Amino acid sequence: MEAWLRAQLSQPSTWRGLFLLITALFGISLSPEMQAAVPNAAIALLGLWEAIRKGACFGQKGD
């Protein structure tokens, strides 16, 4: 499941679809610059999570 989610989040079409859903459901509009910044922020947060999570060996899932 995690591998599938990572694969989906790496595709630009996934992000475009999410932006369209957000706009349609909540009436929020984002500038093109903000649309480009959100995936970068998500990647940074994922990197932070991976850096601080517990794992005994390289490649091992954390608790």
Side-chain angles (χ1 to χ4, degrees):
M1 178 70 174
E2 184 178 338
W4 177 84
L5 185 58
R6 286 181 191 233
Q8 290 300 108
L9 291 177
S10 69
Q11 298 178 22
S13 61
T14 300
W15 291 101
R16 284 192 298 269
L18 289 173
F19 289 124
L20 289 171
L21 283 172
I22 290 169
T23 301
L25 293 175
F26 302 107
I28 298 171
S29 62
L30 298 173
S31 67
E33 294 83 13
M34 184 63 105
Q35 290 179 12
V38 170
N40 292 337
I43 291 168
L45 289 172
L46 180 60
L48 178 64
W49 170 251
E50 290 293 326
I52 63 173
R53 74 181 177 98
K54 183 180 178 184
C57 296
F58 182 74
Q60 182 180 9
K61 290 185 178 183
D63 292 330

